[in-house]
C-alpha cells in the first residue's frame, strides 16, 4: 500500500497539468521584469534639487492643461523682464545654474515648462505645435499681468523656434502679441537646412504606427547616448545631471509623447520662411550664441559680446 501511494504521488508531480502550471510560473517570473522595463516601472524619484525646483514653482491652466512655471523677483531698481524658453527634450530646470545670476540683472525672471515637457501636463494623442507653445507663453504673460510690458527673451534649441514665432507675431502686430525688447537665441536649428536631426530623432518622429513602440523602448541608456552628443568633450553633464534630465522626461510619462513633440522638426521646414524672415527683417536687437546681430533694412551689424 505504501509503495502504491508513493507511485501515486510521483504521478501527480509529473502530471501534464502540474508541469504546465510550473511552466507558466517560470514564464511569469521571467516576463515580470521585462514588462516592468517596457512600462518603465517604477518611475524615477525627484532628486532633492528637482524637488526644490518644483516647490518654488507653480501652475496655471491653459485649455485644461496644467503648465508649470517659475517667477522670481530680482534686481531692485531694474524694470527689465526676461522669460526663459527651454529646449528639447528638457525643461525649465535647464536654467537653474544661472537663475540667481539672472535675478541680479533683471527685475523679473520667468521660466516655464512647455506643454509636453518637465512638470507640465503631457497629454497623449495630442497634436503638439510651436504655435500652441507660443500661445502658452503669451497666455502666461497675461496671467502675470505683463502682456503690455517689454519682454527680453532668452531661448535655447526648441525654445528658439517658439521665440521666432513670438517675434513673427510681434513684427506683424498680431492680436495678443508680446512687445519684445531683445532676443537671445542659443544652439537652435534656426536654419533647418543646416540642422541635421540625429538618428533617434528621425526614428521617433517618422515611424508612424511604430512610434509608440519605440517610445516605450526608449530608456535611460539610449537617452544619455543621444543627448551626450550635443555636448562638447569638456562640457559633458555629470551622471546626476543626466539622471535629472531623464527624470524630467519621465514625469507624467513624457517619454511616451516624444514622437509627437519631435514634429517640431518638420514644422521648422514647413514654416521656415515665416520664422527666418521674421529674424532677418526685425529691428529687435538679437543675439545668436556669441554674435550680436542688429538687423536693419539691408545691413547686418555684428560683433563680439
Amino acid at each position: 500500500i505504501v509503495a502504491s501511494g508513493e507511485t501515486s504521488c510521483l504521478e501527480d508531480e509529473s502530471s501534464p497539468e502540474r508541469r504546465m502550471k510550473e511552466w507558466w510560473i517560470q514564464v511569469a517570473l521571467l516576463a515580470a521584469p521585462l514588462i516592468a522595463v517596457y512600462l518603465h516601472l517604477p518611475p524615477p524619484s525627484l532628486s532633492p534639487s528637482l524637488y526644490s525646483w518644483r516647490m518654488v514653482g507653480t501652475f496655471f491652466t491653459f485649455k485644461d492643461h496644467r503648465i508649470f512655471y517659475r517667477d522670481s523677483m530680482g534686481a531692485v531698481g531694474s524694470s527689465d523682464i526676461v522669460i526663459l524658453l527651454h529646449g528639447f527634450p528638457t525643461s525649465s530646470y535647464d536654467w537653474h545654474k544661472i537663475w540667481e545670476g539672472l535675478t541680479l540683472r533683471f527685475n523679473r525672471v520667468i521660466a516655464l515648462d512647455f506643454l509636453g515637457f518637465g512638470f507640465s501636463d503631457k497629454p497623449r494623442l495630442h497634436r503638439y505645435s510651436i504655435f500652441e507653445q507660443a500661445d502658452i507663453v503669451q497666455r502666461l504673460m497675461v496671467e502675470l499681468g505683463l502682456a503690455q510690458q517689454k519682454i527680453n527673451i532668452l531661448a535655447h534649441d526648441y525654445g528658439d523656434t517658439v521665440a521666432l514665432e513670438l517675434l513673427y507675431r510681434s513684427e506683424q502686430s498680431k492680436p495678443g502679441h508680446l512687445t519684445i525688447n531683445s532676443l537671445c537665441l542659443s544652439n537652435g536649428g534656426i536654419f533647418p537646412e543646416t540642422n541635421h536631426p540625429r538618428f533617434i530623432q528621425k526614428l521617433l518622429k517618422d515611424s508612424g504606427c511604430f512610434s509608440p513602440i519605440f517610445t516605450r523602448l526608449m530608456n535611460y541608456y539610449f537617452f544619455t547616448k543621444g543627448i551626450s552628443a550635443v555636448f562638447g568633450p569638456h562640457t559633458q553633464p555629470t551622471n546626476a545631471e543626466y539622471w535629472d534630465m531623464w527624470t524630467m522626461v519621465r514625469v507624467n510619462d513624457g517619454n511616451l509623447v516624444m514622437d509627437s513633440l519631435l514634429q517640431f522638426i518638420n514644422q521648422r521646414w514647413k514654416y521656415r520662411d515665416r520664422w527666418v524672415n521674421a529674424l532677418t527683417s526685425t529691428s529687435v536687437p538679437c543675439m545668436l550664441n556669441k554674435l550680436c546681430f542688429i538687423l536693419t533694412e539691408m545691413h547686418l551689424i555684428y560683433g563680439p559680446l
Side-chain angles (χ1 to χ4, degrees):
I1 297 174
V2 173
S4 176
E6 290 177 349
T7 302
S8 177
C9 290
L10 289 174
E11 290 176 350
D12 289 343
E13 291 176 358
S14 61
S15 65
E17 293 81 4
R18 185 177 183 85
R19 289 199 302 271
M20 182 61 71
K21 182 178 180 180
E22 291 175 349
W23 184 83
W24 276 112
I25 291 174
Q26 292 172 358
V27 169
L29 291 174
L30 290 172
L34 295 177
I35 293 172
V37 169
Y38 182 73
L39 298 178
H40 298 278
L41 299 174
S45 300
L46 299 182
S47 67
S49 183
L50 285 180
Y51 180 78
S52 297
W53 187 263
R54 164 66 180 81
M55 295 308 295
V56 296
T58 188
F59 293 84
F60 78 100
T61 301
F62 177 84
K63 295 183 179 179
D64 297 325
H65 300 304
R66 281 162 43 92
I67 304 298
F68 175 84
Y69 71 95
R70 182 176 178 182
D71 178 17
S72 293
M73 300 301 294
V76 177
S78 170
S79 60
D80 289 343
I81 300 165
V82 64
I83 184 165
L84 315 176
L85 308 180
H86 67 79
F88 176 92
T90 49
S91 68
S92 60
Y93 185 70
D94 283 355
W95 309 104
H96 76 284
K97 289 187 177 181
I98 63 171
W99 193 266
E100 184 177 351
L102 290 171
T103 61
L104 298 177
R105 164 63 179 83
F106 295 93
N107 175 258
R108 201 88 171 259
V109 181
I110 303 159
L112 77 158
D113 290 345
F114 291 123
L115 185 67
F117 296 83
F119 291 120
S120 293
D121 285 351
K122 299 169 180 177
R124 302 283 300 279
L125 303 178
H126 184 80
R127 297 180 68 87
Y128 292 91
S129 77
I130 294 298
F131 301 102
E132 181 180 45
Q133 306 290 20
D135 290 342
I136 290 171
V137 175
Q138 289 182 174
R139 182 59 189 171
L140 175 59
M141 294 297 99
V142 171
E143 290 282 327
L144 298 177
L146 301 174
Q148 305 304 317
Q149 302 293 318
K150 287 187 176 181
I151 306 295
N152 300 284
I153 298 177
L154 172 57
H156 172 243
D157 186 52
Y158 183 95
D160 287 353
T161 308
V162 178
L164 289 179
E165 172 58 20
L166 292 169
L167 179 64
Y168 172 84
R169 296 179 184 186
S170 178
E171 293 295 303
Q172 299 297 318
S173 298
K174 296 291 185 180
H177 73 86
L178 301 180
T179 302
I180 300 175
N181 187 53
S182 69
L183 179 62
C184 181
L185 307 176
S186 63
N187 193 35
I190 298 170
F191 305 98
E193 61 272 20
T194 65
N195 183 47
H196 305 289
R198 304 196 175 277
F199 172 75
I200 188 64
Q201 293 178 320
K202 295 178 181 178
L203 185 67
L204 289 173
K205 77 181 181 69
D206 295 328
S207 296
C209 60
F210 294 103
S211 292
I213 298 175
F214 292 136
T215 57
R216 283 286 185 185
L217 295 176
M218 174 64 67
N219 57 30
Y220 175 73
Y221 173 79
F222 291 119
F223 173 80
T224 54
K225 283 295 182 183
I227 203 167
S228 64
V230 305
F231 292 92
H234 305 297
T235 59
Q236 287 290 315
T238 64
N239 289 335
E241 289 169 336
Y242 275 131
W243 189 251
D244 279 344
M245 293 180 198
W246 175 242
T247 298
M248 291 299 278
V249 169
R250 289 282 291 110
V251 170
N252 298 329
D253 291 327
N255 55 301
L256 303 183
V257 302
M258 291 184 74
D259 56 327
S260 300
L261 291 171
L262 278 165
Q263 297 308 309
F264 81 91
I265 296 174
N266 297 334
Q267 292 167 25
R268 279 177 170 174
W269 274 104
K270 185 175 181 179
Y271 300 102
R272 178 201 182 280
D273 291 346
R274 175 188 180 102
W275 294 329
V276 171
N277 290 343
L279 179 63
T280 57
S281 63
T282 186
S283 59
V284 171
C286 299
M287 184 184 301
L288 308 182
N289 287 331
K290 292 187 177 182
L291 294 180
C292 182
F293 292 79
I294 303 177
L295 302 127
T296 56
E297 299 179 350
M298 298 297 291
H299 302 286
L300 178 65
I301 305 171
Y302 63 92
L305 294 177

